[in-house]
Amino acid sequence: MMKRTLFSLAIAAATFALTACNDSSDDAPGGGSTMPATEAHPSVGIELSVLSSYRTGLVAGGDSAAEIVSYDPVNHRLFVINAANVSVDVLDMKDPAALSKMSTIDASIEGGSANSVAVQGNLVAVAIEANVKQANGKVVFYNLTDLQKVGEVEVGALPDMVVFTPDGNKVLVANEGEPNSDYTVDPQGSVSVIDLSAGVAGATVKTADFTAYNGQETQLRANGIRIFGPGASAAEDFEPEYIAVAPDGSKAWVTLQENNAVAVLDLTTDTITQVLPLGYKDHMLAGNELDPSDRDLNASDKDGAIHIANWPVLGMYQPDSIYSYSVAGKTYYVTANEGDSRDYDGFTEEFRVKDLTLKAGSFAALPDLQEDHELGRLRVTATLGVSNGCDPSSVTTDIEADCEYDTLYAYGARSFSIWSDDGAQVFDSGSDFERITAEKIPDNFNSTNDENNSFDSRSDDKGPEPEGLVLGQIKDQTFAFIGLERVGGIMVYDITDPVSPVFVQYINNRDFGASEADLLSDMAGDLGPEGLYFIAADKSPTGEPLLAVGNEVSGSTTLYRIAVTELAGEADTATE
């Protein structure tokens, strides 16, 4: 039965079949690709379809059983982080239509959770956090041929993402440095730069930290960079999440998700040279609409409705994944704008709009703003928009009683963005993700990822939550593949022209009709896409490009075939 819809869901973009990434060093997540000058018309079209899945049977109750994915192009194997087993599953994809497990790298003897994996040359690099997350972690190296350990190096606290530079001489590690639950220990965030030019046995490590920014917190906040942990310095507050390496290997961009910023890492000096604020998305602008409530009709309406509209809210982009590419000599980076909050036992920034005191007259045009069917249910940060001088970052502040607000800031932007290398935004997908899913799967709009019959349940949070991202190139076109963590599925865009991307396809390998029992026994398809890896045609066992996706909630890894069609000209580009 069609859910009630309160907003016109006209999706103006025609669906085009276009394509994805094909260079020897361009396949790896966090890597970069180089494109020629943009051509006037696409020459190829693409369409994704499910080829096969490997299912661990471990539906996540806490740790993920299929998360980050990397690829061995010589032996046609996938390496998939299985945090639930503190291991790396090695999957055989010589026959991509029958993906199967062939081996395991047991990382449980190395410390805490395995968080990320990357493959290059004859090495597999695995990032492993310490048993106490606030202590330094390590990167362990394994031989690609026999999967035996060949060395390890110590890195920073909570290594969350690992990536090789294009030449394979360096490994970069995003050390998130999250605080403990009561916020009494807050390690510094950093990026470890592992130099492998003398081999694993001669590996050296430099730490690119943020201590140079200590003492500049006031100016950084004025510049739009969030520094808000109680008592935290800039170096402690910055939490690196994901890394994109420039195609030429000269520098990298590092997402600082909670800080709503991107750091620039100079790979000639191995130092952080800039921290770039990402700004805020104005949801009052045409094209930036969102559905902010899971109870759109009234307070008693538990089912909600689809109500995509303009609202007086600013969205913090707060990207998770990031990837870079070059077009006609200019470099850009692409972000999946998931959003994230700090919500700990010792400190939280997360409140619903209805629980805040709003400054009188600030929202006079919407007298019912704090009702559940308007913005009352939306989760926002208490650390921004304060109008009366209270300190929401102090653990002694009573947010509801002491602070009042004249501006509302929500988590994430429910979109993906493209930025020039100096931090200027050249494109944002606006309200596309919510509009497209509202049209394609209206009965399951903004569902969550661990429960069916959860229509609209994530509207008051971060909507579809774009998290995973990878770029791919075929011939002269570049495509972005973006995973929606909550409702599921993959969005595909042709981003050959960085300022004018085109929507290509939305595909979701999830069974929304499965029972709760089927969901818990891993019979509901793919839930929670997390890590995406593009496999170029010349490295694929089929001779066609493929997309591998690790799904953290269902514990499944799925291969998508990317069918490529030659297009005769402009008139032939539309496929739907």
Side-chain angles (χ1 to χ4, degrees):
M1 178 175 158
M2 183 71 70
K3 294 290 183 181
R4 288 160 292 183
T5 303
L6 301 181
F7 188 77
S8 174
L9 298 171
I11 301 175
T15 301
F16 286 80
L18 303 162
T19 346
C21 205
N22 201 354
D23 180 71
S24 62
S25 62
D26 299 347
D27 314 2
S33 62
T34 303
M35 287 290 298
T38 303
E39 293 190 354
H41 307 299
S43 60
V44 294
I46 64 168
E47 183 176 7
L48 274 64
S49 59
V50 174
L51 191 55
S52 67
S53 293
Y54 168 74
R55 318 196 73 83
T56 63
L58 299 174
V59 177
D63 290 327
S64 163
E67 193 169 355
I68 304 304
V69 182
S70 194
Y71 178 60
D72 165 15
V74 175
N75 302 293
H76 301 306
R77 296 177 296 181
L78 290 177
F79 290 76
V80 184
I81 288 292
N82 186 333
N85 284 342
V86 195
S87 64
V88 181
D89 289 336
V90 184
L91 308 184
D92 185 355
M93 55 170 285
K94 290 188 179 67
D95 179 2
L99 196 61
S100 62
K101 182 177 174 179
M102 61 182 296
S103 188
T104 297
I105 297 175
D106 182 5
S108 63
I109 59 175
E110 302 294 345
S113 177
N115 292 331
S116 184
V117 61
V119 175
Q120 184 131 327
N122 198 40
L123 289 177
V124 181
V126 182
I128 301 173
E129 68 185 54
N131 287 315
V132 176
K133 289 170 64 172
Q134 288 68 45
N136 282 349
K138 59 185 174 179
V139 170
V140 180
F141 294 97
Y142 300 88
N143 184 287
L144 185 64
T145 304
D146 60 13
L147 305 182
Q148 295 301 301
K149 179 178 175 178
V150 293
E152 65 175 66
V153 297
E154 183 177 307
V155 294
L158 189 54
D160 198 40
M161 190 267 183
V162 60
V163 62
F164 284 87
T165 55
D167 61 9
N169 286 333
K170 292 180 178 180
V171 174
L172 311 181
V173 189
N175 304 306
E176 193 166 6
E178 286 184 347
N180 61 353
S181 62
D182 59 8
Y183 229 109
T184 57
V185 180
D186 187 5
Q188 293 184 7
S190 65
V191 178
S192 294
V193 182
I194 305 169
D195 189 337
L196 294 176
S197 57
V200 172
T204 59
V205 184
K206 289 184 180 180
T207 301
D209 61 27
F210 297 91
T211 55
Y213 295 91
N214 289 346
Q216 302 180 39
E217 289 82 4
T218 299
Q219 184 58 54
L220 291 167
R221 292 186 190 103
N223 292 344
I225 296 167
R226 302 183 73 216
I227 301 174
F228 61 96
S233 66
E236 292 167 334
D237 208 66
F238 290 149
E239 296 184 0
E241 186 83 23
Y242 215 90
I243 303 171
V245 185
D248 64 3
S250 64
K251 63 181 176 179
W253 295 269
V254 184
T255 54
L256 307 176
Q257 186 172 32
E258 289 82 357
N259 310 104
N260 196 35
V262 168
V264 181
L265 174 63
D266 185 332
L267 290 175
T268 61
T269 62
D270 299 331
T271 58
I272 302 295
T273 58
Q274 288 180 285
V275 179
L276 304 172
L278 295 176
Y280 306 101
K281 182 171 182 172
D282 187 349
H283 288 292
M284 283 296 288
L285 295 179
N288 283 353
E289 298 83 3
L290 80 161
D291 184 339
S293 177
D294 57 345
R295 300 179 187 174
D296 299 89
L297 298 181
N298 55 61
S300 63
D301 177 29
K302 304 299 184 183
D303 291 329
I306 299 175
H307 188 186
I308 303 171
N310 292 114
W311 297 95
V313 174
L314 297 179
M316 300 177 286
Y317 288 96
Q318 297 185 303
D320 187 315
S321 300
I322 186 170
Y323 207 105
S324 74
Y325 73 124
S326 293
V327 178
K330 294 187 64 176
T331 302
Y332 302 85
Y333 56 91
V334 186
T335 58
N337 304 319
E338 177 197 24
D340 200 8
S341 68
R342 288 181 179 153
D343 185 18
Y344 295 90
D345 293 342
F347 168 76
T348 185
E349 61 164 312
E350 188 178 288
F351 289 80
R352 294 190 188 274
V353 171
K354 67 180 179 181
D355 295 326
L356 299 179
T357 300
L358 304 185
K359 182 180 179 180
S362 294
F363 302 95
L366 291 171
D368 297 327
L369 181 75
Q370 291 182 286
E371 296 295 322
D372 283 354
H373 65 282
E374 293 202 354
L375 289 182
R377 297 276 299 168
L378 183 66
R379 296 184 192 275
V380 295
T381 180
T383 65
L384 295 172
V386 179
S387 64
N388 67 342
C390 87
D391 181 7
S393 294
S394 171
V395 294
T396 62
T397 299
D398 183 341
I399 298 296
E400 292 99 323
D402 300 340
C403 304
E404 64 177 33
Y405 295 81
D406 58 11
T407 310
L408 302 172
Y409 292 83
Y411 302 104
R414 309 187 185 198
S415 64
F416 84 100
S417 300
I418 303 177
W419 315 76
S420 61
D421 64 357
D422 61 358
Q425 188 183 97
V426 300
F427 172 80
D428 183 77
S429 62
S431 57
D432 278 11
F433 292 171
E434 283 189 291
R435 291 179 181 276
I436 291 167
T437 53
E439 180 190 66
K440 303 291 186 184
I441 48 171
D443 286 349
N444 299 288
F445 171 78
N446 277 354
S447 294
T448 194
N449 56 16
D450 58 1
E451 181 183 357
N452 277 343
N453 300 312
S454 56
F455 166 83
D456 203 32
S457 64
R458 298 299 297 180
S459 291
D460 59 321
D461 211 314
K462 292 169 282 186
E465 288 191 41
E467 180 178 16
L469 166 77
V470 73
L471 304 189
Q473 178 186 336
I474 289 179
K475 295 190 176 179
D476 55 3
Q477 292 165 234
T478 298
F479 293 83
F481 303 87
I482 307 109
L484 304 185
E485 180 185 7
R486 293 294 174 171
V487 71
I490 309 299
M491 290 283 180
V492 185
Y493 279 73
D494 177 358
I495 62 167
T496 307
D497 181 350
V499 302
S500 188
V502 178
F503 170 63
V504 176
Q505 184 182 7
Y506 173 61
I507 182 170
N508 195 339
N509 187 41
R510 174 177 178 175
D511 181 1
F512 286 102
S515 67
E516 187 70 13
D518 286 342
L519 187 147
L520 293 174
S521 60
D522 188 26
M523 298 293 289
D526 293 335
L527 307 172
E530 173 85 5
L532 285 73
Y533 196 105
F534 176 80
I535 300 168
D538 62 351
K539 302 213 177 64
S540 165
T542 66
E544 291 182 303
L546 303 170
L547 180 72
V549 180
N551 301 282
E552 62 176 341
V553 175
S554 56
S556 57
T557 302
T558 294
L559 275 177
Y560 290 86
R561 177 192 180 218
I562 303 175
V564 180
T565 304
E566 297 285 342
L567 301 177
E570 180 180 17
D572 300 321
T573 59
T575 62
E576 290 187 8

